[in-house]
Amino acid sequence: MSVERRKVLKAFAGAGALAGVQALFPAWAQTGSRGVAPTLATLSGPDIALTVGHSPFSVGGRTGHAITVNGTLPAPLLRLREGQTARLSVTNTLDEDTSIHWHGLLLPFQMDGVPGVSFPGIRPRETFVYEFPVRQAGTFWYHSHSGLQEAMGHYGPIIIDPATPDPVAYDREHVLILSDWSFLHPHEILRRLKASPGYFNQQRTTVAGLLSGEDRMSAEERRMWAGMRMDPRDILDVSGSTYTYLVNGHGPAENWTGLFRPGERVRLRIINASAMTIFNVRIPGLPMTIVQADGENVRPVETDEFQISIAETYDVIVQPTEDRAFTIVAEAMDRSGMGRATLAPRLGMSAE
């Protein structure tokens, strides 16, 4: 047997062993494409330490500057439990104030994390301790409320496990945090929007489009929009011409992959942590059943596609029975671009 063949067989044996070990972990720990380790850095327990700082961030072959928590984008997944008291120490290593707002959590106003409203903010090289009882369960997220740090990567997911048995049955789960990223600094994006609200709209109607029919809009419809002084294609303030859409910090070409075994009920916890983007989410060939919205269990509703706005969360159940890959699509509402990921029984697979 050749050396190369032995290496290949050894790799397959190792992958099989990892799959076997993975089955021993709870559903929330079976969350990704790296064996038994979650793809999102995960912190749990009543005492959690977080550090806000500067980090490089690469996507699509380019590297830019991000503001991160514990050096990751998105920030670590925080795993809490209903009924515990959470104690989160946040250290600021930036040269400017920072903060963390616990989006959707019921807590004392002093712990809400909005500078100038509920607390003064976290000064450079200082630590603030958030301490509050965990009074609910579900899918939530956290982010900066200082400046435009959130748009630069300062956001992360929160999963709170219920104190009583979960009414939603599932065998495995994946957390999908959707976001938008630009190598153009968010302050510059805002400056250009203030100068011209349609600055980033690269899909405007044109005279050439009217004459050729490519714009699919009659002269009468154009007169109507002109009379309202509105641009019919100014759907999102910033589009895919400027943004790269991310799933768990990965661009469309990087193909973040979540695993499943055919027949499993898979819970997808989907969070829209974008700064400016409303997404339409679908998994072609695989219906989704919505079971939770913004941390509240809802009557199950089956759908092929749903729209998720900024800061919203939706939990869906899917049950793939085929031994094949499915593409998870998060398309910007103006159809200018999309985030993309894969749900597959094995690594390296992609949907046809």
Side-chain angles (χ1 to χ4, degrees), residues 39-107:
T39 55
L40 294 173
T42 302
L43 300 174
S44 60
D47 293 289
I48 295 173
L50 303 172
T51 300
V52 180
H54 298 284
S55 300
F57 174 70
S58 298
V59 65
R62 298 176 61 189
T63 300
H65 166 239
I67 294 179
T68 59
V69 178
N70 289 16
T72 68
L73 189 166
L77 165 62
L78 304 183
R79 197 92 199 189
L80 306 177
R81 187 164 186 83
E82 183 182 15
Q84 73 177 165
T85 296
R87 182 180 173 86
L88 302 111
S89 303
V90 181
T91 300
N92 181 12
T93 67
L94 303 174
D95 294 325
E96 62 186 43
D97 288 6
T98 193
S99 58
I100 291 183
H101 168 62
W102 314 99
H103 198 102
L105 297 196
L106 304 172
L107 36 67

Side-chain angles (χ1 to χ4, degrees), residues 20-343:
V21 173
Q22 187 176 16
L24 302 177
F25 280 67
W28 66 262
Q30 301 180 33
T31 55
S33 58
R34 298 180 184 176
V36 297
T39 55
L40 294 173
T42 302
L43 300 174
S44 60
D47 293 289
I48 295 173
L50 303 172
T51 300
V52 180
H54 298 284
S55 300
F57 174 70
S58 298
V59 65
R62 298 176 61 189
T63 300
H65 166 239
I67 294 179
T68 59
V69 178
N70 289 16
T72 68
L73 189 166
L77 165 62
L78 304 183
R79 197 92 199 189
L80 306 177
R81 187 164 186 83
E82 183 182 15
Q84 73 177 165
T85 296
R87 182 180 173 86
L88 302 111
S89 303
V90 181
T91 300
N92 181 12
T93 67
L94 303 174
D95 294 325
E96 62 186 43
D97 288 6
T98 193
S99 58
I100 291 183
H101 168 62
W102 314 99
H103 198 102
L105 297 196
L106 304 172
L107 36 67
F109 76 90
Q110 302 95 330
M111 299 291 111
D112 192 49
V114 180
V117 177
S118 60
F119 87 134
I122 307 172
R123 308 289 185 227
R125 289 164 292 281
E126 289 187 357
T127 297
F128 182 84
V129 179
Y130 293 89
E131 187 169 358
F132 51 85
V134 180
R135 300 167 53 193
Q136 63 210 103
T139 301
F140 303 94
W141 68 298
Y142 64 104
H143 57 89
S144 173
H145 241 289
S146 300
L148 299 179
Q149 295 172 5
E150 178 192 327
M152 298 181 69
H154 188 340
Y155 56 82
I158 304 173
I159 306 302
I160 303 177
D161 294 306
T164 56
D166 198 319
V168 178
Y170 59 98
D171 303 301
R172 182 191 300 257
E173 75 174 30
H174 297 292
V175 178
L176 304 178
I177 188 158
L178 313 178
S179 59
D180 41 29
W181 169 265
S182 177
F183 291 96
L184 188 63
H185 196 284
H187 284 288
E188 180 60 20
I189 291 176
L190 184 60
R191 186 193 69 79
R192 296 185 189 187
L193 284 173
K194 286 183 175 180
S196 174
Y199 182 92
F200 295 101
N201 181 11
Q202 303 297 314
Q203 303 184 89
R204 291 189 178 98
T205 54
T206 63
V207 174
L210 172 64
L211 296 176
S212 68
E214 291 180 2
D215 284 347
R216 299 180 181 179
M217 184 174 292
S218 67
E220 183 180 350
E221 288 175 310
R222 285 182 178 239
R223 283 193 295 271
M224 178 188 70
W225 284 100
M228 295 187 293
R229 297 183 180 274
M230 295 177 67
D231 184 342
R233 293 186 176 177
D234 189 13
I235 298 172
L236 294 175
D237 289 335
V238 185
S239 69
S241 62
T242 302
Y243 278 141
T244 298
Y245 301 113
L246 308 179
V247 178
N248 291 350
H250 296 268
E254 295 166 350
N255 194 29
W256 180 91
T257 300
L259 300 180
F260 70 87
R261 294 186 184 90
E264 285 184 326
R265 287 172 56 87
V266 182
R267 184 173 188 161
L268 304 178
R269 299 179 182 264
I270 302 170
I271 302 164
N272 186 355
S274 67
M276 305 281 280
T277 306
I278 299 169
F279 291 103
N280 292 320
V281 178
R282 59 186 178 274
I283 308 175
L286 191 61
M288 301 173 288
T289 300
I290 297 174
V291 295
Q292 190 180 103
D294 294 327
E296 292 292 328
N297 292 328
V298 299
R299 181 180 296 174
V301 176
E302 185 175 300
T303 184
D304 291 321
E305 182 173 330
F306 64 89
Q307 191 168 93
I308 183 168
S309 195
I310 299 159
E312 291 184 334
T313 75
Y314 283 97
D315 287 25
V316 305
I317 296 292
V318 296
Q319 191 167 12
T321 58
E322 301 172 76
D323 186 47
R324 69 178 184 90
F326 297 86
T327 297
I328 302 170
V329 177
E331 185 177 33
M333 190 174 67
D334 66 349
R335 300 186 179 182
S336 62
M338 67 176 65
R340 173 184 176 273
T342 296
L343 195 62

